[in-house]
Amino acid sequence: MSKVLLVDDDVELTMLLQEYLTEEGYDVTTDTDGRAAIAAAAGNAVDIIVLDIMMPRMNGIEVLQRIRKLSQIPVLMLTARGDDIDRISGLNLGADDYVAKPCSPGELAARLRAILRRAGQSAGSASTDTLRAGQLVIHPGNRTVEWRGQPLDLTGTEFSLLEVLARSAGQLVQKQDISKRAFGKPLTPFDRRIDVHISSVRQKLGLREDGQSWIQSVRGQGYQLLVD
């Protein structure tokens, strides 16, 4: 049973989501203060955190920043519908996904399942065989990555995206294929989450000797991981 911490000051919504997720088989705790999320991340007390952006005392963006200094625990953000700035800010800081409010409990449950599956929390994970692409070594079994002989710190979503590109290293992977293989769902129009996560992975890989990124993009099509 996966442990979920739901942090939102909307008590009515929180109760509704908690009841639904409990029926779906999750062990759900709730809080109205973002500091509870920071403490949970520090103590590895839960498997995933659902975090509202608009909260008193400390907003969700600030909470996420502090969490990412402590842990790579999966975080799903709740954002105001249509607020692209908050969504992109959250993804840039390492959020695994977001759901726009008001959201249906069913949609939230589906997103949680997808994130936990990517993070290796549920059954049916990918092959445990070590994957090598140039100086990149990926261990799907424990979802760890080595880059140039050193551990590479990635979020669960970043790991999934890099694994997809590494399995087709040197080849262009269409964005639609990336979405299906990494997220388990088709890419929707104007969805920028792949681009934002790829940008973060690029920064962590650094630049090649020729000054180019290790992950090349073809505008409007997809991405390619270079291996030499």
Side-chain angles (χ1 to χ4, degrees):
M1 181 181 291
S2 296
K3 296 181 179 179
V4 179
L5 174 61
L6 177 57
V7 183
D8 195 325
D9 63 329
D10 186 335
V11 177
E12 185 176 349
L13 175 62
T14 299
M15 291 177 60
L16 172 65
L17 295 177
Q18 181 182 28
E19 180 179 356
Y20 184 90
L21 293 176
T22 299
E23 291 178 355
E24 288 289 300
Y26 294 98
D27 179 4
V28 184
T29 56
T30 66
D31 208 295
T32 59
D33 192 332
R35 289 174 291 188
I38 298 171
N44 295 313
V46 296
D47 297 311
I48 189 167
I49 296 172
V50 180
L51 181 64
D52 185 34
I53 286 184
M54 298 300 296
M55 290 188 298
R57 300 188 186 92
M58 187 184 303
N59 67 46
I61 295 296
E62 184 179 355
V63 172
L64 179 61
Q65 286 180 303
R66 298 196 182 189
I67 287 175
R68 282 294 172 253
K69 293 178 180 178
L70 302 168
S71 170
Q72 293 300 321
I73 185 173
V75 176
L76 184 150
M77 306 293 292
L78 297 177
T79 72
R81 185 172 297 278
D83 197 339
D84 290 334
I85 294 177
D86 281 344
R87 296 178 187 181
I88 293 172
S89 296
L91 293 175
N92 277 328
L93 290 171
D96 291 86
D97 205 346
Y98 61 82
V99 172
K101 296 171 66 175
C103 63
S104 70
E107 179 186 8
L108 180 60
R111 295 292 182 90
L112 289 176
R113 283 193 296 271
I115 294 172
L116 288 169
R117 184 168 58 247
R118 296 198 298 268
Q121 296 290 342
S122 59
S125 59
S127 168
T128 58
D129 293 339
T130 299
L131 174 64
R132 299 179 184 274
Q135 301 180 73
L136 183 70
V137 181
I138 297 179
H139 305 283
N142 58 14
R143 295 179 67 82
T144 59
V145 176
E146 298 168 28
W147 174 238
R148 293 176 168 174
Q150 299 295 323
L152 186 65
D153 193 16
L154 300 173
T155 68
T157 298
E158 290 168 357
F159 177 93
S160 296
L161 287 172
L162 186 56
E163 182 183 10
V164 168
L165 294 178
R167 290 189 181 279
S168 300
Q171 304 174 39
L172 176 68
V173 185
Q174 300 289 332
K175 292 180 69 173
Q176 189 64 251
D177 290 337
I178 294 174
S179 184
K180 290 178 180 178
R181 291 163 61 186
F183 300 151
K185 60 184 179 182
L187 186 69
T188 57
F190 310 112
D191 190 339
R192 293 190 56 197
R193 75 190 73 198
I194 289 178
D195 305 309
V196 175
H197 286 304
I198 289 290
S199 176
S200 178
V201 176
R202 279 172 163 166
Q203 292 179 16
K204 293 180 180 181
L205 292 176
L207 298 176
R208 292 157 46 90
E209 291 184 0
D210 60 8
Q212 296 187 62
S213 170
W214 285 95
I215 300 178
Q216 296 290 301
S217 62
V218 177
R219 186 175 179 85
Q221 295 187 45
Y223 291 96
Q224 174 185 2
L225 176 66
L226 302 181
V227 292
D228 52 27

